[in-house]
Amino acid sequence: MLSRDGITLPSMTSLRTAGIIGVSAACCILLPLMIGFASAKLSSSNSLQGIILSGILFPAFLLALLKPRLLVPYTLLIWAVAPELRRIADWSEGVYHSVSLLSLAPLLTGATLIVPVLREVHRIKRSWSRILLLFAAALAYGALIGLAKNGMGSVYDLANYVVPLLLIPFFVVTPYTSKDIDRLLYAYANIAVLVAIYGIIQYLTVPPWDAFWMRHADMMSIGQPYPLEIRVFSSLNSPGPAATFLVFALVPMILEKRWQGSLRWIGVLFVVICLLTTLVRSAWLVLLVMLLVYIGSSPSKGKWKTLLQLTIVAGACVWIVPKLPGAEGLVARMETLTSVQEDHSYNERLGLWQNMLPIVASNPVGQGIGSVGQGTKLSNGGELGEYGVMDNGFIALLLTFGALGAILFFGALGAVVKQIVARVTRKDDQQPYARLALAAWCGAVAGLISDNGFPGLKGYLIWMLIGLGLSAKEVIESRKKGIPHAAIERKIISR
C-alpha cells in the first residue's frame, strides 16, 4: 500500500490481482450468457447442447474463482460423464451428431484452470518456466504448421494439448498439502468406481442411449450393442479412454489404502472387472509399468506390503473373472498377452511402424497439430481423416511435430522427469506422491507404443498425477524455513 497526502493508495500488485479477478468474474457471468443466447438462435438440438454446456461451465467458473482446489475433481467428473450426456441428448432427440457442442465440455471446463494460474502467475519459478517454454515452443511450431495444412482442426487439437498442460502451472501456484492430495485422489477413486459400476451395467444390459450411439457411430471395434457382446466404454466415448480413466485411478487405489475411495477393496474389484470388459490390453501394460516403477522406487518395507496387496488383488481376480457372464471372451482376450506374435492387433501395429517410418523420415517438417486423431474430423466433414486412427504414439508425435518440434517436446518431457527424480530422491513424508508422479511419467512414455496419450483425457490424467507429485514441494520448503502452513496461501518463496 502507498500513502500520499494521508490517502492510502493500493499497490500495483493489488490492482493487478483485482483486475484479474474482475475479468474472471465478468467471464464467469458473460460466457454462460453468451452460450445461452447463441443457443437460442440455433436449432433445437444445438440449443439443448448449449444449455447443458452452460450448466456445466458455470460451476467451473465459480470453483476457479472461489475454490480452485475443487476444480480438478470437478473437471475429472466432467471428463467422465460428458460423453454420456452427449449420447443421452442425441438419443432423446433421435438424431446422431458426429460433432457435438458437448464434446467441448471437458476442454472448456479444464480451461478454467487459467483463472487461478493468471491470478498467481508471478509465483511460477524459473525452472518450471523453462519447461513450460519448451512445451510452448513445440506446440507453437506444431500449431503454425497445422493451421497451414489442417485448418480449424488444428485449433481443437491444440486445445487438447494445452488444457491438460495447464495443470503444471496450476499445481505450481496452488500449493497442495498431503491432505489436499489425498482428498483429490480419494475423489478420483470414487468417480472411477462409479464409472466402473456403470460400465458393468452397460456390459450386462446395454442401455438404449448407448445402443443408439453404437449403431450410428460406425465403430466396428467396440462389438455389438447387445448384452455380453459389447466392449465396454462406460460413460466415456470409447473403450480406450474408459480403460485409461480406470487404470490411472486403479494404480493409486492398489498402492495406498488412503487413495482407495469410499468402497475400499470392493471398489478396486469393481474397477478391475470393468477394466477387463473394455478389452484394452495396452492399458494393462501401462498398469504394470506404473506399479513396477512405484514399487521399485519404494523403501524395502513398503515393497513387501505392496507386493502382498497385488497378490491378493490378482488372486481375487483369478477366482472371480471365470465366474462372470461372458467370461470366455474376456479370458481369451487376456490370453493373447502371452502370445502377441499370433495376435492380429499386435501384427497390425508392427506393420504400422514399418509403413509409417519412411513417411515420417521423408517429412521432417511434420504435418502439424490437427493431422492425427479426433481433430481430423473438423477438416474432413465429420469423418476421421487419413491419420484419424494412429495406434503408435511415437509415430503420432513425429508426424505431428516433425523433427524440430519432437526434439522440443521430448526435451520438455526429459526436463519434467529430472524434476520428478530430484523429488523421489528426497527422504520425506511426501515421497509417495513423487513416486506416483514418476510412475505416471513412465506409464505415459510406455503407453506411446499404442497411442499418443498427451492430448485429451489421458494427458489430463498424466499431468494431474505428475503435478500432484510435485505440488507438495513448496509445503516442505516452507517447513524448512519455518513458515506457517497458512502463510503458504499468501506467499511462496520465489527463486
Side-chain angles (χ1 to χ4, degrees):
M1 306 293 284
L2 303 175
S3 180
R4 181 179 178 181
D5 299 330
I7 301 173
T8 302
L9 302 175
S11 65
M12 290 301 296
T13 302
S14 299
L15 289 173
R16 182 173 55 190
T17 302
I20 291 171
I21 293 173
V23 171
S24 302
C27 291
C28 177
I29 296 170
L30 290 176
L31 185 58
L33 289 176
M34 290 169 62
I35 293 174
F37 178 78
S39 299
K41 302 292 184 181
L42 298 173
S43 64
S44 59
S45 61
N46 286 333
S47 179
L48 175 62
Q49 295 170 19
I51 291 169
I52 297 172
L53 187 59
S54 298
I56 290 171
L57 288 180
F58 189 71
F61 274 111
L62 289 179
L63 292 174
L65 289 170
L66 304 175
K67 295 284 186 179
R69 286 186 183 84
L70 296 180
L71 183 57
V72 177
Y74 179 75
T75 306
L76 284 173
L77 179 64
I78 299 306
W79 276 108
V81 303
E84 191 70 7
L85 292 176
R86 172 189 173 182
R87 287 193 288 272
I88 293 173
D90 284 0
W91 171 75
S92 66
E93 297 176 54
V95 179
Y96 169 74
H97 300 91
S98 60
V99 178
S100 170
L101 284 175
L102 291 176
S103 300
L104 300 175
L107 288 175
L108 292 177
T109 304
T112 58
L113 288 168
I114 196 67
V115 175
V117 169
L118 288 177
R119 191 165 52 202
E120 307 290 347
V121 68
H122 58 281
R123 293 182 177 180
I124 299 177
K125 294 183 178 180
R126 189 173 299 172
S127 58
W128 281 108
S129 295
R130 286 195 291 265
I131 292 172
L132 292 172
L133 283 174
L134 281 173
F135 278 122
L139 293 175
Y141 175 82
L144 287 174
I145 303 298
L147 281 171
K149 293 187 176 184
N150 309 310
M152 290 304 296
S154 62
V155 177
Y156 174 77
D157 224 19
L158 178 63
N160 273 287
Y161 279 98
V162 171
V163 168
L165 275 169
L166 285 175
L167 284 165
I168 294 180
F170 173 78
F171 284 121
V172 170
V173 303
T174 310
Y176 272 60
T177 64
S178 298
K179 287 185 178 180
D180 293 327
I181 299 173
D182 291 342
R183 287 192 196 103
L184 176 49
L185 292 173
Y186 188 89
Y188 179 25
N190 283 332
I191 296 170
V193 170
L194 292 175
V195 168
I197 291 172
Y198 181 76
I200 294 169
I201 294 171
Q202 186 183 71
Y203 180 66
L204 297 174
T205 64
V206 190
W209 44 86
D210 292 330
F212 175 85
W213 177 78
M214 289 181 69
R215 292 188 183 100
H216 291 84
D218 241 0
M219 294 178 68
M220 305 303 294
S221 63
I222 59 176
Q224 299 297 319
Y226 305 112
L228 310 183
E229 297 183 28
I230 180 177
R231 283 184 64 194
V232 165
F233 47 87
S234 187
S235 57
L236 282 296
N237 53 16
S238 69
T244 295
F245 193 89
L246 296 173
V247 160
F248 279 87
L250 182 60
V251 171
M253 291 172 75
I254 292 174
L255 293 172
E256 300 287 345
K257 185 178 179 180
R258 64 184 184 273
W259 300 338
Q260 285 181 345
S262 301
L263 295 185
R264 301 296 184 186
W265 287 106
I266 295 174
V268 172
L269 288 177
F270 277 136
V271 173
V272 170
I273 291 169
C274 186
L275 181 60
L276 283 167
T277 62
T278 65
L279 302 180
V280 179
R281 289 163 304 173
S282 59
W284 293 96
L285 171 66
V286 174
L287 176 72
L288 180 62
V289 169
M290 290 180 68
L291 290 173
L292 289 177
V293 170
Y294 188 93
I295 294 170
S297 58
S298 300
S300 298
K301 293 181 180 178
K303 289 178 183 178
W304 291 111
K305 178 185 174 183
T306 307
L307 287 172
L308 177 61
Q309 292 175 175
L310 285 175
T311 304
I312 293 171
V313 172
C317 290
V318 169
W319 182 73
I320 291 173
V321 170
K323 295 176 173 58
L324 295 174
E328 297 82 4
L330 299 178
V331 173
R333 179 76 171 177
M334 297 309 295
E335 283 177 349
T336 60
L337 286 171
T338 59
S339 57
V340 290
Q341 288 80 7
E342 301 174 10
D343 182 62
H344 177 69
S345 178
Y346 167 81
N347 290 321
E348 276 193 345
R349 282 191 170 91
L350 187 60
L352 176 69
W353 179 266
Q354 294 170 345
N355 294 331
M356 290 300 301
L357 202 56
I359 296 174
V360 171
S362 65
N363 184 18
V365 175
Q367 290 291 109
I369 291 175
S371 60
V372 178
Q374 294 295 314
T376 58
K377 283 185 175 182
L378 297 179
S379 56
N380 201 42
E383 301 293 330
L384 289 173
E386 182 181 3
Y387 303 123
V389 178
M390 181 60 66
D391 291 333
N392 188 298
F394 292 104
I395 293 293
L397 287 171
L398 290 170
L399 192 65
T400 298
F401 292 107
L404 177 60
I407 290 172
L408 292 170
F409 193 89
F410 285 109
L413 288 178
V416 169
V417 78
K418 183 179 177 182
Q419 292 274 346
I420 297 171
V421 170
R423 282 289 297 112
V424 171
T425 55
R426 295 185 183 184
K427 305 299 182 183
D428 52 48
D429 58 351
Q430 307 298 321
Q431 198 188 54
Y433 309 111
R435 295 202 304 270
L436 185 60
L438 181 62
W441 188 95
C442 293
V445 173
L448 287 175
I449 66 171
S450 63
D451 69 325
N452 175 20
F454 289 102
L457 170 63
K458 191 173 183 178
Y460 194 90
L461 299 174
I462 290 166
W463 295 123
M464 181 187 75
L465 294 184
I466 289 175
L468 286 174
L470 298 169
S471 63
K473 183 178 179 181
E474 302 293 352
V475 177
I476 292 178
E477 290 182 354
S478 68
R479 288 175 184 167
K480 291 178 180 178
K481 295 177 181 291
I483 301 174
H485 284 187
I488 301 169
E489 298 287 342
R490 301 186 300 272
K491 179 180 179 182
I492 294 179
I493 304 300
S494 59
R495 290 179 179 178

